[in-house]
């Protein structure tokens, strides 16, 4: 038997049904404290929420275009407004950023965000979708064309994190097949000149279970390597 890697020690949980947002936040808060105390392992929690908007710490009131459309929750994560709902795979990532095996990237939040981005890029590649970073914009983007000569870039994955006592929580939201019309009620992440897309809109029809398999496999690829970071 080979030596166990860091990601072998991370618990994975897939929620059944829709998890209320407030319940998820309470669970994360509890788990972060337990990870810090050494009484619970690190956790990646895959789930879906009922339809709602969340406002990150940088959210601007004017970016909530239709406040009556859906419930709105204030969130401690970084970022601005985003939508969560069925058909979107949310991954809450609770990792100890203070672990010595992280080497020079220990206590490096930018590196953690880079890894989350890389995780989404590699997951999308499993479905032949090219996800890309964009300087000055948070999240993962897909480039395409509306009409000859017109370039369009749509966001397919949102990223928002919080760190407490060097334990990360919140995480990523990948649009598999959500109701994209709900994004019309906000200016997602404060970006007006680009749109939002999903695997389904790109013509990729896949069950959530297949997405979860891709997430699990690519997570190991990214998070097992202590030196894997480019900030």
């Amino acid at each position: 038997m080979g030596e166990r890697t860091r990601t072998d020690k991370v618990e994975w949980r897939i929620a059944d049904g829709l998890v209320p947002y407030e319940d998820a936040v309470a669970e994360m808060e509890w788990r972060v404290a337990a990870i810090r105390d050494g009484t619970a392992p690190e956790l990646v929690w895959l789930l879906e929420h009922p339809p709602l908007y969340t406002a990150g710490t940088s959210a601007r009131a004017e970016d909530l275009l239709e406040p009556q459309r859906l419930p709105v929750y204030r969130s401690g994560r970084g970022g601005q407004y985003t939508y969560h709902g069925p058909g979107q795979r949310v991954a809450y990532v609770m990792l100890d950023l203070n672990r010595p095996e992280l080497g020079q990237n220990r206590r490096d939040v930018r590196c953690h965000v880079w890894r989350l981005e890389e995780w989404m890029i590699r997951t999308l590649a499993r479905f032949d979708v090219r996800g890309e970073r964009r300087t000055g914009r948070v999240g993962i983007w897909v480039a395409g064309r509306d009409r000859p000569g017109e370039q369009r870039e749509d966001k397919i994955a949102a990223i928002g994190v919080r760190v407490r006592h060097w334990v990360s929580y919140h995480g990523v939201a990948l649009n598999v097949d959500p109701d994209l019309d709900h994004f019309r009620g906000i200016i997602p992440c404060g970006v007006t000149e680009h749109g939002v897309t999903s695997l389904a809109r790109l013509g990729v029809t896949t069950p959530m279970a297949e997405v979860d398999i891709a997430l699990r496999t690519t997570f190991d690829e990214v998070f097992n390597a202590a030196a894997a970071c480019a900030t």
Side-chain angles (χ1 to χ4, degrees):
M1 295 293 290
E3 183 179 351
R4 284 169 60 86
T5 65
R6 181 194 182 204
T7 56
D8 288 332
K9 304 170 186 176
V10 176
E11 178 186 349
W12 281 72
R13 182 190 306 171
I14 301 177
D16 294 326
L18 303 180
V19 179
Y21 186 75
E22 291 175 310
D23 291 354
V25 171
E27 176 68 15
M28 282 192 289
E29 295 277 358
W30 175 86
R31 188 61 173 243
V32 164
I35 292 169
R36 182 185 179 230
D37 292 342
T39 57
E42 297 168 298
L43 172 66
V44 177
W45 187 14
L46 305 181
L47 52 83
E48 295 171 85
H49 286 304
L52 59 98
Y53 297 129
T54 65
T57 54
S58 301
R60 301 175 300 184
E62 60 268 27
D63 288 346
L64 181 59
L65 304 178
E66 299 180 25
Q68 303 306 316
R69 180 187 274 245
L70 295 173
V72 180
Y73 293 91
R74 292 284 164 183
S75 171
R77 62 163 174 81
Q80 301 184 37
Y81 279 103
T82 194
Y83 163 73
H84 292 313
Q88 182 188 71
R89 177 49 90 209
V90 174
Y92 289 136
V93 181
M94 287 153 268
L95 299 180
D96 183 358
L97 303 185
N98 199 37
R99 294 182 68 126
E101 58 262 42
L102 290 175
Q104 65 181 5
N105 298 320
R106 184 180 179 184
R107 293 190 175 187
D108 190 335
V109 177
R110 289 184 300 170
C111 183
H112 178 61
V113 171
W114 186 92
R115 284 192 177 111
L116 292 174
E117 293 170 341
E118 187 69 15
W119 185 29
M120 293 298 96
I121 289 169
R122 295 195 189 194
T123 296
L124 290 167
R126 295 293 179 115
F127 301 98
D128 296 320
V129 173
R130 182 176 178 178
E132 300 176 329
R133 298 175 178 89
R134 286 293 179 265
T135 301
R137 284 189 250 142
V138 179
I140 298 303
W141 301 79
V142 176
R145 290 188 180 274
D146 280 334
R147 293 183 291 274
E150 291 189 7
Q151 187 73 39
R152 184 193 70 236
E153 291 183 343
D154 295 328
K155 177 180 272 192
I156 194 167
I159 297 172
V161 301
R162 187 173 184 181
V163 175
R164 176 174 294 169
H165 302 299
W166 296 109
V167 179
S168 72
Y169 57 124
H170 295 277
V172 301
L174 175 62
N175 294 333
V176 180
D177 188 15
D179 183 353
L180 295 178
D181 186 67
H182 283 315
F183 283 97
R184 294 165 59 89
I186 57 174
I187 298 178
C189 299
V191 177
T192 59
E193 63 270 30
H194 301 287
V196 180
T197 193
S198 65
L199 286 174
R201 177 162 286 184
L202 295 173
V204 178
T205 303
T206 184
M208 194 68 78
E210 293 297 321
V211 174
D212 292 344
I213 291 171
L215 287 167
R216 183 68 180 88
T217 302
T218 54
F219 183 89
D220 287 348
E221 293 173 2
V222 174
F223 286 86
N224 259 339
C229 182
T231 59

